[in-house]
Amino acid sequence: MELNCGPFTLEGYSRSTIETYLKVNELNICFDIGKCPMSLIHVPQIFISHFHGDHSLGLTYYIAHRNLAKLPPGQIYVPAAAEKAAHDLIRAQAALEQARRQYELIPVEPGMSVPFRRNMTMQMFATDHRVPSVGFQVMETRHKLKPEFMGLGQQEIIELKQKGVEIVSPQHLPRFAYVGDSTIMVFDWHPEIMQSEVLATECTFLTDEHYEEAEKRKHMHIRDIVPYLDHITSPHILLMHFSMRYTRAEIKHWVQHWIPAKHLERIHLLI
Ligand SMILES: [Zn+2]
Ligand SMILES: [Zn+2]
């Protein structure tokens, strides 16, 4: 499914236990890989939040097809605690196919920050789930004219530059946050993600009868998210990873039911 979220065009699918991936076209990256539809083979950078099968099963397929197509090895960012098992899995698949596979796993941990394209870094944050997991936040650095130089003409700016005066200062803008699977704790631990231009968060459970399951399975219930909406400044909030127990119509119904009307226009659904 394709979805416009502010300045970003997203391609993705997300249902709990079935498959989750979210491709950000403008950044040419994908969060999680699901079962790896063919459209993801050409994405050079993949960010895996955790290794539950619905988020990661397509990894060996991605690697095999990039090898077949003679593309450079994709850069696959994975939670450091899962790195060894991920290598073992990839090698086992290669052994079964009697093939040699080129690939690059990059272990990441909460608190790390890695540049991944010009002016963009990915910051990893801790999430609260049943297996090792991380969330990802895209930060963009823009260089802005310092206030004291605003209003100067082009010629004066050029002269200052030639004199070696530092006329710009860097600004770090939170563009996109991807939570992956987590309990609601992630917003207490990392309030900074609530300022991202786009905030993509799981919202697995929707009905009262499933409220306890959210905590038990380390997921979110929409009732947990509602009180945070007043603190989330993101103009675009993408809810995803709904349980298969709900039809598309039911998801729309419960979202309308729980989310206060004043927040509804910021809400996007990946269903
Ligand atoms: Zn999941
Ligand atoms: Zn999971």
Side-chain angles (χ1 to χ4, degrees):
M1 161 169 176
E2 203 174 284
L3 196 76
N4 290 313
C5 241
F8 298 109
T9 323
L10 309 177
E11 260 177 66
Y13 180 87
S14 183
R15 279 301 194 113
S16 177
T17 73
I18 305 298
E19 179 171 33
T20 285
Y21 65 89
L22 187 65
K23 177 173 170 237
V24 185
N25 286 349
E26 287 74 9
L27 303 178
N28 206 16
I29 60 174
C30 194
F31 295 111
D32 288 329
I33 197 164
K35 297 173 196 161
C36 193
M38 284 307 282
S39 61
L40 298 189
I41 302 294
H42 287 269
V43 180
Q45 291 173 309
I46 307 285
F47 295 84
I48 303 283
S49 67
H50 68 295
F51 272 88
H52 276 147
D54 48 330
H55 296 252
S56 65
L57 258 181
L59 196 61
T60 54
Y61 191 79
Y62 169 80
I63 291 168
H65 273 273
R66 279 190 80 89
N67 277 245
L68 275 175
K70 302 210 173 354
L71 292 165
Q75 294 181 312
I76 305 155
Y77 297 82
V78 298
E83 183 196 7
K84 187 186 171 301
H87 274 301
D88 292 346
L89 169 76
I90 294 161
R91 284 175 192 147
Q93 181 69 41
L96 284 167
E97 297 189 44
Q98 300 186 354
R100 291 168 69 87
R101 299 276 193 246
Q102 303 284 332
Y103 66 96
E104 185 181 359
L105 287 191
I106 302 164
V108 292
E109 289 184 66
M112 275 176 70
S113 174
V114 289
F116 71 98
R117 60 186 280 154
R118 209 175 112 79
N119 294 335
M120 298 271 184
T121 56
M122 191 68 81
Q123 283 184 357
M124 274 52 77
F125 55 87
T127 55
D128 181 31
H129 200 40
R130 307 194 303 278
V131 294
S133 61
V134 290
F136 301 102
Q137 186 174 33
V138 176
M139 301 294 293
E140 181 174 352
T141 305
R142 283 194 199 151
H143 294 277
K144 232 185 142 209
L145 200 59
K146 288 181 179 170
E148 60 264 40
F149 301 121
M150 281 178 189
L152 292 185
Q154 209 178 359
Q155 193 54 40
E156 291 165 292
I157 298 269
I158 292 170
E159 282 167 19
L160 281 169
K161 259 184 163 173
Q162 282 167 345
K163 282 188 209 152
V165 178
E166 198 59 70
I167 56 167
V168 292
S169 60
Q171 281 196 318
H172 303 288
L173 304 168
R175 301 294 312 275
F176 203 110
Y178 177 85
V179 166
D181 287 2
S182 178
T183 67
I184 197 73
M185 290 306 296
V186 69
F187 296 120
D188 289 341
W189 293 349
H190 306 288
E192 72 277 7
I193 65 174
M194 296 193 282
Q195 268 112 52
S196 281
E197 196 171 351
V198 175
L199 172 63
T201 179
E202 74 134 283
C203 180
T204 307
F205 296 109
L206 298 171
T207 59
D208 281 334
E209 58 173 333
H210 298 142
Y211 189 73
E212 276 74 38
E213 278 201 51
E215 181 55 40
K216 207 166 71 196
R217 294 175 186 263
K218 296 256 180 195
H219 285 301
M220 291 185 207
H221 192 287
I222 195 166
R223 273 168 51 193
D224 295 328
I225 297 174
V226 168
Y228 286 86
L229 290 172
D230 286 326
H231 308 286
I232 296 172
T233 59
S234 310
H236 305 281
I237 303 167
L238 176 64
L239 302 182
M240 54 192 285
H241 199 269
F242 295 102
S243 165
M244 278 307 282
R245 293 164 224 224
Y246 315 121
T247 65
R248 288 169 62 92
E250 284 168 342
I251 292 168
K252 287 180 187 166
H253 166 79
W254 288 114
V255 167
Q256 294 268 346
H257 173 83
W258 290 115
I259 306 274
K262 64 177 173 178
H263 294 299
L264 274 175
E265 64 177 27
R266 296 195 282 155
I267 303 286
H268 304 258
L269 303 178
L270 185 56
I271 52 175

